[in-house]
Amino acid sequence: MATVTREELPELIREEMLNALRNIPAVRYQVIGIMTEVFAQRADLQAILERIDAQRADFNQRMEEFAARQEEHSRRLDEMREDFNRRMDEMREDFNRGFIQLSKEIRDVDLHVQAMGARWGILAEDAFRAGIAGILTEETGLKVERYLKMDTKGQVFGQPDQVEIDVVIHNGDYWLLEVKSSISRGDVSIFQRKVAFYEQEEKVKVRRSIIISPYFDPGAQEQARALGMETYTSAREVRV
């Protein structure tokens, strides 16, 4: 028997296998069965891989749709948050305006109570005057100054006495104010003499004579207006 070398062995095996496949049907059918089984497994594996790829693509698409929905939800939440903040700011502004208005109304009521008290001698007239001057300053920005001077000739009261006048100087114009808890016809006449006294003593022309009081006796307002005076029942009514 001839010796087969390592180099000759593969070729010999190949020739024997080909010869068996050609000449021995059982071997040929067995090899065909094995190959069919292998190829079937590869086809199944390919199908599985394709299915995995399809599921991966579907998953990725679903994730993209989910991300898009999340982004839309976030955008809507931001819009709702902005709208809520805007509405809260509006409500806060409305509340502040209402609170300021309520404070003014309460202060007006308080001044009317002070006026009633001062009218009946329960409270000081000076407290009421100070409250009116404070409101006038807040509402118009005008500074109310107190003018005090001795009337030695008795031009105002008919005898020597101290004359007190509230004065506002606005853009070089002189405004004189009479602020009292109640005004009678006699008060109007006295205020007219105060204006004349001030113009004479200070050598100026009074542009506006203003009376502020929540209570005018019958005929007092008509008398004041006939003399060219302005009358108001509230400091907030005074026009600048």
Side-chain angles (χ1 to χ4, degrees):
M1 182 175 180
T3 303
V4 179
T5 64
R6 175 176 295 181
E7 288 77 10
E8 295 174 338
L9 182 61
E11 181 63 21
L12 179 62
I13 293 174
R14 186 180 67 80
E15 290 178 356
E16 290 298 327
M17 287 183 63
L18 291 175
N19 183 56
L21 289 172
R22 291 190 190 100
N23 301 316
I24 306 174
V27 174
R28 183 166 59 250
Y29 295 147
Q30 186 176 4
V31 170
I32 291 173
I34 293 173
M35 293 179 65
T36 301
E37 183 179 353
V38 170
F39 286 140
Q41 291 178 351
R42 288 184 178 179
D44 291 341
L45 179 60
Q46 183 65 29
I48 292 172
L49 292 177
E50 290 176 355
R51 191 175 305 152
I52 291 174
D53 289 339
Q55 290 180 349
R56 183 185 299 111
D58 181 68
F59 176 78
N60 291 337
Q61 182 179 354
R62 290 176 181 273
M63 288 302 296
E64 290 176 359
E65 293 174 353
F66 176 76
R69 287 197 299 270
Q70 287 295 102
E71 184 177 354
E72 178 65 16
H73 291 332
S74 298
R75 185 184 64 79
R76 290 183 179 180
L77 284 174
D78 290 340
E79 291 177 353
M80 293 174 61
R81 188 181 298 109
E82 290 177 3
D83 183 66
F84 175 78
N85 292 336
R86 187 161 51 247
R87 291 179 181 274
M88 286 299 296
D89 290 340
E90 292 174 356
M91 292 176 60
R92 189 180 298 108
E93 291 175 1
D94 290 341
F95 175 80
N96 291 336
R97 282 194 295 268
F99 181 77
I100 292 172
Q101 182 61 33
L102 179 62
S103 299
K104 290 180 178 179
E105 292 175 359
I106 292 175
R107 189 169 181 181
D108 284 342
V109 171
D110 183 59
L111 284 172
H112 276 75
V113 172
Q114 289 187 39
M116 293 177 63
R119 188 178 187 183
W120 298 105
I122 301 174
L123 299 173
E125 188 81 33
D126 287 341
F128 173 74
R129 183 187 298 115
I132 291 293
I135 289 180
L136 190 62
T137 299
E138 292 174 4
E139 294 293 320
T140 65
L142 301 174
K143 182 179 180 182
V144 181
E145 299 179 350
R146 195 73 176 145
Y147 175 82
L148 299 172
K149 193 163 188 178
M150 188 68 186
D151 175 16
T152 58
K153 297 179 181 179
Q155 299 178 55
V156 177
F157 300 105
Q159 61 184 10
D161 202 346
Q162 182 104 305
V163 176
E164 299 181 8
I165 310 174
D166 288 318
V167 180
V168 170
I169 301 176
H170 179 62
N171 293 335
D173 291 328
Y174 289 82
W175 303 356
L176 265 58
L177 280 63
E178 181 72 358
V179 179
K180 293 191 67 175
S181 59
S182 62
I183 295 291
S184 65
R185 292 173 60 89
D187 293 326
V188 174
S189 298
I190 291 175
F191 183 50
Q192 183 185 26
R193 294 195 292 272
K194 284 184 178 181
V195 173
F197 174 79
Y198 184 85
E199 289 180 330
Q200 177 182 323
E201 293 295 318
E202 302 304 316
K203 304 297 186 294
V204 297
K205 178 63 179 176
V206 175
R207 181 172 174 272
R208 297 176 67 180
S209 302
I210 302 172
I211 299 177
I212 304 175
S213 176
Y215 301 104
F216 285 84
D217 287 351
Q221 273 189 302
E222 292 76 10
Q223 177 188 0
R225 290 170 182 171
L227 293 172
M229 300 175 183
E230 302 173 31
T231 61
Y232 301 97
T233 57
S234 172
R236 294 190 173 88
E237 298 175 356
V238 178
R239 55 184 176 81
V240 178

